[in-house]
């Protein structure tokens, strides 16, 4: 509710006057529930950064993970938030698309990220957990186990199709087989070279036992 947000943000400002701003996690549906005036009001109260999960730019993949929103609708909500003055940091999960979709999903996700142009894109690689549909499908033989090569190829395709205007491509999450940061567009070639090196077996990868969500 608007009054709760006002109370929270005003308390943050009064009790932490040295703070430079406030951030919150927000889904596309969270943004959609607020009109433009609501968003502008939240921004004026000191909320200036939103974190959210894009996960994939492929509609079928989002439907599989029950994201509850289509890529185009997510794009429009992100643009509304930016228009109201919010910075955006979004995340993508590699490994959630099936064998027949993952390269196309990577390309569509790159296109979606390019159109949103967030301040930062955070990359995670799927680590199937007990009790999840991904672990169940692998255990029952419905889906192949995710190989290092497949995840790295998906990462490369996504990175190659993502263009940011000074934004940070952050692939340093604990779930990733390789770790790097790339400011785009100036560090695009450097990032591609690093991924290619990993694919060629010329770079030591993080052991599976050290990968965490």
């Amino acid at each position: 509710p608007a009054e709760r947000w006002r109370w929270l943000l005003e308390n943050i400002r009064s009790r932490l006057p040295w703070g430079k701003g406030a951030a919150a996690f927000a889904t596309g549906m969270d943004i959609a529930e607020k009109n433009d005036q609501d968003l502008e009001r939240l921004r004026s109260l000191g909320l200036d950064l939103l974190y959210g999960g894009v996960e994939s730019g492929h509609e079928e993949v989002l439907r599989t993970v029950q994201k509850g929103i289509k890529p185009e609708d997510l794009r429009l909500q992100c643009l509304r938030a930016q228009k109201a003055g919010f910075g955006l940091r979004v995340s993508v999960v590699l490994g959630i698309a099936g064998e027949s979709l993952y390269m196309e999903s990577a390309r569509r996700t790159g296109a979606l990220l390019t159109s949103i142009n967030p301040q930062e894109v955070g990359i995670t690689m799927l680590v199937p957990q007990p009790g999840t549909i991904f672990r169940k499908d692998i255990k029952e033989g419905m889906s192949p186990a995710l190989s290092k090569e497949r995840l790295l190829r998906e990462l490369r395709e996504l990175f190659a199709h993502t263009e940011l205007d000074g934004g940070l491509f952050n692939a340093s999450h604990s779930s990733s087989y390789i770790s790097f940061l790339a400011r785009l567009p100036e560090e695009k070639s450097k990032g591609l070279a690093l991924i290619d090196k990993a694919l060629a077996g010329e770079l030591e990868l993080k052991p599976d036992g050290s990968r965490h969500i």
Side-chain angles (χ1 to χ4, degrees), residues 46-65:
L47 185 63
D48 58 359
L49 179 63
L50 299 179
Y51 292 90
V54 167
E55 323 312 359
S56 172
H58 197 295
E59 185 173 342
E60 185 175 336
V61 175
L62 293 186
R63 188 162 53 248
T64 298
V65 299

Side-chain angles (χ1 to χ4, degrees), residues 23-43:
F25 287 95
T27 67
M29 291 179 288
D30 290 332
I31 299 171
E33 289 174 354
K34 294 175 172 53
N35 60 38
D36 293 345
Q37 291 72 31
D38 291 335
L39 293 175
E40 290 168 4
R41 176 62 174 162
L42 288 172
R43 181 64 189 88

Side-chain angles (χ1 to χ4, degrees), residues 116-129:
I116 296 172
N117 192 34
Q119 292 178 340
E120 182 175 330
V121 176
I123 306 300
T124 61
M125 292 184 177
L126 182 66
V127 182
Q129 299 296 300

